Amino acid sequence: MNVELDARALTTGIEALAAISDAEAPAVTRIVFTATDLKARLWLKSRCEEAGLLLRQDAIGNTFARWPGSDPELPAVGTGSHIDAIPNAGRYDGVVGVLGGLEAIRALQSSGFHPRHSIELLLFTSEEPTRFGIGCIGSRMLSGTLSADAASQLRDNDGESLDQVRKKAGFHGNLGAVELPPAYYKAFVELHIEQGPLLERQRTPLGVVTSIAAPASLRVSLEGAGGHAGGVLMPERHDALCAAAELILAVENAALTSGAIDTVATIGICDVFPGVLNSIPSRVRLSVDIRDTDVKRRDAAMEKIEHASEVIRTKREVSIQTELVNADAPANCASKVVEALSASCRKHNLQFIPMVSRAYHDSLFMSRIAPTAMLFIPCRNGYSHRPDEYASPEDIARGTLVLAETLALLSQ
Ligand code: GLV
Ligand code: MN
Ligand code: MN
């Protein structure tokens, strides 16, 4: 089998998807179930049809493009990622795994390879948490981690439920049927940019992911007392933003003092009400994103944050309400998929290192229902979730070649 990639098609595909965006280039914004997301999905589905793949969509919009194997009753080998993009993102996060997966299948087809197990490309719905406040909605539902009931009640910033929004976007059907039957996949493998600097620093073209860190997030509401910026004297204030400022630093401190470099915490949302120059902030809404490779250490950091908010609440006489959005376990990748990836790297004389994924991915949830691993390629300076995210065509082609070999190995 001689697998020849069309590296040019990969590059033009990435460019074409980047042009379907709600942000001015080079930034990419593609929020789930917006007209832009739907346009990108249509574009992708046409590419899958051109490759002769059989398309199916579930009630939440997860899209499956299947190359049937010679024994179609056997569990399939899955690959794929997401094409939704956070506001002001780059063009590679997720997209490399989807278009790389499609190109890997296309290259295997033209090499004359015939899989015994079907190979299936998956486009997951809403890997990014932007719209509904929680990431990996599609893969959480496929794996039974998020129930149909809980999912349909999620609300976006305009107060619309996920159920209403998905139906408006044309995805009907029973959300209860999204969960995959047991042993649907023989294996799942996701190609992704690293989103960190290690591969580049170690001058290594590939990373085989052996575990995925445990993510958690909180929604915090602080309520104090508003009032006139001139009239209310300082000792009499209950400024919600000043309380939030203390809490933000407490979150940073909880990560910094966990005893390991692997604890990371981020406050990415800070909404201030009424948000006016001459009015004391009465309400603040924060998001807390906290992750660790060690779930106990992450939970200990979360307890420290809870304790800090208790202290701030009492000291400043404000109310602080904390809602846990998610606290997921980490994933260990499956040795058989890790070995298939490693063997494929060796076959092409490509150096690789074992890696931990500090970002979360749909693979975190696919690992709950299928033997799963990931392949990382470098991205310049480790930049991701920003417009200057960049992965070279050579690195993308290398990753896609190893993905193709791995899919061939696993589907025999
Ligand atoms: C994925 O986008 C993540 O935030 O890890
Ligand atoms: Mn992302
Ligand atoms: Mn991603």
Side-chain angles (χ1 to χ4, degrees), residues 82 93 127-129 195 289 291 358-361 385:
H82 62 99
D93 176 4
E127 192 266 356
E128 299 291 5
Q195 306 186 284
D289 176 308
R291 314 175 187 210
R358 294 172 186 282
Y360 60 71
H361 302 280
H385 282 186

Side-chain angles (χ1 to χ4, degrees), residues 114-161:
H114 294 289
R116 191 158 78 87
H117 293 254
S118 302
I119 299 182
E120 189 160 82
L121 179 71
L122 244 166
L123 172 72
F124 294 100
T125 285
S126 200
E127 192 266 356
E128 299 291 5
T130 312
R131 184 156 187 178
F132 294 101
I134 185 166
C136 299
I137 291 175
S139 52
R140 281 178 194 272
M141 293 188 74
L142 289 174
S143 62
T145 311
L146 178 67
S147 72
D149 260 8
S152 58
Q153 284 165 29
L154 291 170
R155 287 187 183 271
D156 70 7
N157 284 335
D158 298 329
E160 267 200 296
S161 74

